[in-house]
Amino acid sequence: MANKGGAPNRLYHNDGDGTFTSLVDSPIATDGGNSNGGSWGDFDNDDDLDLFVANGPFFFQGQNNFLYRNDGDGVFTAIEDGPVVNDGAKSMSGVWADFDLDGHLDLFVTNYIHDDILYLNNGYGAFTPKTDDLIVNMAGFATGVAAGDIDDDGDPDLLVANWENQNNTGYYANGANNWLRVKLVGASSNRDAVGTRVAAIATSGGREIRQTREVSAGFGFRSQSSLDLYFGLGDATQVDVLEIHWPGGGVELLAQISTNQTIYVTQDRGMTAYRTPPVQVGRPSVAPLLMEIINTQGVAAAVKRYRDLKKSGSEEYKLSEGVLNGLGYQLLQAGNLTGAIEILDLNRREYPKSANVYDSLAEAHMVAGNTKEAVKYTRKMLKVLPNDESLSDDFRTNLENSGRYRLKHLQ
């Protein structure tokens, strides 16, 4: 719990029975600042979450921020060296994300009437401020910040919220390494899978790296990132093991997952993988436009707009199977089951020879409880799968296995 005015912050241990214990001796609870919020992330890849605390202007003066390394068993060590805790800015919020996809979480910090700061993680806790980029040379009234894959290319982008009638600011990341994006839907736990912790184990640069991410409902100062989990994988060509720890104690293990794709995992129902197409430089995805139309005019209007753009041969937006697929899953995760099914059904009609679109539509019907339709489109997926030449061998195997698993449990 972040406190202002120099009062000590608070840290509470969840005892697991609806009660909490105040950890009064932790440095987190003895340090005081004009704190605006905390952001949790495993910056040293030791399988537990560390803490960054942003300290804002105090009597118009900047303060150093706080960074705590989690040593396990509820013990934290305050980091006192390095730029993250000695820049003395007027910070409002911070977000952890692997922007360069090298397997180590970086930190982006928003500042009030001051340049924002991007700290690149050099590996296991050593950070270097990035000073030669537009992203950190936009001094303003920055407050909240969110990370998520805006352009659907696999790396986390940024959206910065500004006060004082300033325009908000978006930044696109261009990570050059391999990646995996994980979308989760809870079943017996909460639908958004908040509290789920996922560990990805892969070999990059000749050594095994274990990265941990957790689905969080909020962080920092009035901030909320995408609920998707992003793993930068360096030169790794696969994730050897993916451990999914659901709230309530359930654990699922997935093995040998190819990189540079998004996987969709529903609790107790297995994995559905779908391709993310290469980004077409200079052509933004049509997905944000369609989502705006859905929110203001409805799904039917969005479907009509997509068809009109495609019919006219428009070069303004990127129109692809992957764009529609991602939009459908976004609606599905938001709980708009009807809208998700309509968009994914549009994808089926636009790309009738793609096994992937039938698999996605079957998944949506399964989540919506439409067992008959889920079986129908799973069978169709398995029928067209052998002739879909756009798929890699690994992806084809993933689709076949998930389809047969689904039929086994639905019929």
Side-chain angles (χ1 to χ4, degrees), residues 89-389:
K90 303 171 184 177
S91 300
M92 299 299 295
S93 195
V95 61
W96 295 102
D98 188 1
F99 297 109
D100 53 7
L101 303 177
D102 66 349
H104 304 285
L105 283 178
D106 309 305
L107 177 65
F108 182 81
V109 179
T110 59
N111 294 306
Y112 191 78
I113 323 179
H114 189 285
D115 287 345
D116 298 328
I117 304 177
L118 173 61
Y119 300 98
L120 294 178
N121 190 336
N122 302 327
Y124 302 95
F127 293 89
T128 299
K130 186 173 179 59
T131 59
D132 58 347
D133 199 298
L134 174 67
I135 194 172
V136 294
N137 289 290
M138 296 287 287
F141 296 87
T143 55
V145 60
D149 188 6
I150 300 172
D151 54 0
D152 200 31
D153 65 347
D155 53 26
D157 308 303
L158 282 170
L159 179 65
V160 177
N162 295 305
W163 272 345
E164 303 296 338
N165 294 318
Q166 291 185 337
N167 291 330
N168 297 325
T169 312
Y171 302 99
Y172 292 96
N174 292 294
N177 293 309
N178 295 326
W179 53 270
L180 180 72
R181 179 169 60 178
V182 180
K183 292 176 173 283
L184 301 170
V185 173
S188 56
S189 63
N190 66 90
R191 180 179 180 79
D192 288 332
V194 172
T196 303
R197 187 172 296 192
V198 179
I201 303 172
T203 300
S204 177
R207 66 178 177 181
E208 183 178 278
I209 298 178
R210 179 187 177 97
Q211 303 177 58
T212 299
R213 305 283 188 269
E214 184 171 285
V215 182
S216 172
F219 64 90
F221 182 79
R222 302 176 183 176
S223 299
Q224 168 68 64
S225 284
S226 166
L227 296 178
D228 299 345
L229 300 180
Y230 301 88
F231 295 91
L233 297 169
D235 62 5
T237 57
Q238 71 173 23
V239 171
D240 301 320
V241 178
L242 193 74
E243 297 180 7
I244 304 174
H245 297 257
W246 299 96
V251 179
E252 292 186 48
L253 299 178
L254 306 175
Q256 297 180 339
I257 303 170
S258 299
T259 60
N260 302 329
Q261 65 170 331
T262 301
I263 64 171
Y264 192 93
V265 184
T266 300
Q267 187 176 14
D268 302 325
R269 295 178 182 175
M271 175 184 77
T272 297
Y274 64 92
R275 290 178 291 118
T276 300
V279 173
Q280 301 177 42
V281 178
R283 296 176 63 195
S285 168
V286 75
L289 171 65
L290 296 181
M291 182 60 79
E292 180 181 356
I293 295 173
I294 289 171
N295 291 335
T296 57
Q297 304 174 45
V299 176
V303 170
K304 183 179 185 302
R305 183 62 179 276
Y306 183 90
R307 286 178 167 170
D308 289 345
L309 286 169
K310 191 170 183 181
K311 184 178 179 179
S312 67
S314 172
E315 295 292 328
E316 183 180 1
Y317 296 102
K318 180 176 63 176
L319 310 175
S320 70
E321 168 208 329
V323 167
L324 288 178
N325 218 45
L327 179 60
Y329 276 116
Q330 187 176 353
L331 291 168
L332 189 66
Q333 194 166 32
N336 187 347
L337 301 183
T338 301
I341 289 172
E342 289 189 47
I343 291 296
L344 293 172
D345 193 58
L346 168 66
N347 210 15
R348 174 188 64 83
R349 296 192 298 272
E350 294 288 332
Y351 302 93
K353 296 182 180 180
S354 170
N356 188 47
V357 301
Y358 292 105
D359 187 72
S360 299
L361 190 54
E363 179 79 11
H365 279 294
M366 186 174 67
V367 173
N370 304 327
T371 302
K372 183 177 179 180
E373 294 297 298
V375 170
K376 170 186 171 181
Y377 287 114
T378 299
R379 287 175 174 168
K380 182 65 175 179
M381 180 272 288
L382 292 172
K383 182 178 180 179
V384 303
L385 185 60
N387 298 319
D388 189 344
E389 298 179 354

Side-chain angles (χ1 to χ4, degrees), residues 7-37:
N9 296 316
R10 295 286 184 264
L11 179 64
Y12 298 93
H13 178 267
N14 189 336
D15 299 322
D17 57 359
T19 64
F20 292 80
T21 298
S22 178
L23 302 181
V24 295
D25 295 327
S26 172
I28 296 175
T30 57
D31 288 341
N34 202 43
S35 300
N36 286 309

Side-chain angles (χ1 to χ4, degrees), residues 12-84:
Y12 298 93
H13 178 267
N14 189 336
D15 299 322
D17 57 359
T19 64
F20 292 80
T21 298
S22 178
L23 302 181
V24 295
D25 295 327
S26 172
I28 296 175
T30 57
D31 288 341
N34 202 43
S35 300
N36 286 309
S39 304
W40 296 87
D42 184 15
F43 69 75
D44 53 1
N45 284 341
D46 65 350
D47 207 31
D48 50 30
L49 301 184
D50 311 295
L51 176 63
F52 168 79
V53 178
N55 289 319
F58 190 60
F59 291 105
F60 305 102
Q61 300 298 314
Q63 288 188 311
N64 287 331
N65 296 316
F66 300 144
L67 181 63
Y68 303 96
R69 184 182 65 244
N70 190 337
D71 300 320
D73 297 324
V75 178
F76 291 83
T77 296
I79 304 299
E80 298 178 350
D81 298 323
V84 174

